[in-house]
Amino acid sequence: AEKEVIEYKSGQKQLLELESNLQQKYAPQLQSQSLAWWTKEAAQLHAQTEKTQNSGTKLVYQRVLGFLSMNSYIYSGNALKQGDLAAAGRFIEIYRLVDPQNAEHRYMAAKVAARKHNPDEVFSALNQAFTLGFKDIKRLKADADFKPYAQDKRFNDLISDK
């Protein structure tokens, strides 16, 4: 039994090292790599998560994707606060690539479109957010970025359906 415990602890240590190494590899890339690079890397991370048979390794890849999701969310929010729409758009796209089922990246994309005065993109992104499970109507109504669209029929259709 002692041998099994030692093997288990060794395996856990290797998993922690893998996770730490992946986080250290990807964290600085959030600000420097192109969307083409992120498209490839995110696809590889998702594929690794799907194909790996080892449950410990699978969890490592899921946590790394979660780490990237959280960090791209933070970078997206900061870029929006600073009014840097180009950076926000880039981080939001990375967010979408690493966490495609999260509705928040589409909500943030709608905010960027609203600030660029592009109503068609606003409603496209908001519809996608709702499709992905966005439900916070109160937040949507209170968001200053969407005030110019409050009288648009599409806005009222969007919130009245929910």
Side-chain angles (χ1 to χ4, degrees):
E2 187 178 335
K3 182 181 175 197
E4 291 167 351
V5 169
I6 291 170
E7 285 177 14
Y8 175 80
K9 283 185 175 182
S10 175
Q12 292 301 301
K13 185 178 180 205
Q14 287 175 340
L15 290 173
L16 285 172
E17 286 175 6
L18 172 62
E19 185 171 344
S20 178
N21 290 341
L22 287 169
Q23 287 181 356
Q24 288 174 18
K25 171 188 173 182
Y26 287 120
Q29 308 306 332
L30 282 167
Q31 295 189 58
S32 61
Q33 286 294 345
S34 69
L35 288 177
W37 186 88
W38 275 106
T39 299
K40 187 175 120 263
E41 290 296 314
Q44 286 178 340
L45 284 168
H46 287 294
Q48 285 291 104
T49 302
E50 293 302 314
K51 77 177 184 183
T52 192
Q53 298 300 309
N54 180 304
S55 63
T57 306
K58 184 182 288 276
L59 290 171
V60 164
Y61 285 109
Q62 288 172 341
R63 284 193 303 268
V64 168
L65 284 165
F67 167 83
L68 292 170
S69 173
M70 181 183 65
N71 279 280
S72 56
Y73 165 80
I74 290 167
Y75 281 124
S76 299
N78 287 340
L80 278 169
K81 281 185 190 122
Q82 294 165 4
D84 186 345
L85 300 184
R90 185 180 163 287
F91 289 127
I92 290 165
E93 185 60 14
I94 295 169
Y95 188 10
R96 183 188 67 78
L97 291 167
V98 299
D99 196 356
Q101 298 306 309
N102 192 320
E104 188 63 23
H105 54 74
R106 293 300 85 206
Y107 183 86
M108 291 175 133
K111 289 175 70 65
V112 170
R115 292 185 189 182
K116 289 181 173 182
H117 311 290
N118 188 333
D120 291 339
E121 274 188 41
V122 168
F123 292 107
S124 173
L126 284 175
N127 277 309
Q128 291 169 19
F130 277 101
T131 298
L132 289 170
F134 182 83
K135 292 178 175 41
D136 196 347
I137 302 294
K138 188 184 247 181
R139 175 178 164 209
L140 177 60
K141 286 181 175 179
D143 194 319
D145 287 326
F146 300 121
K147 291 289 184 214
Y149 304 97
Q151 301 310 312
D152 190 302
K153 180 184 182 318
R154 294 173 289 182
F155 189 85
N156 291 309
D157 289 348
L158 199 61
I159 61 175
S160 65
D161 290 349
K162 311 301 178 247

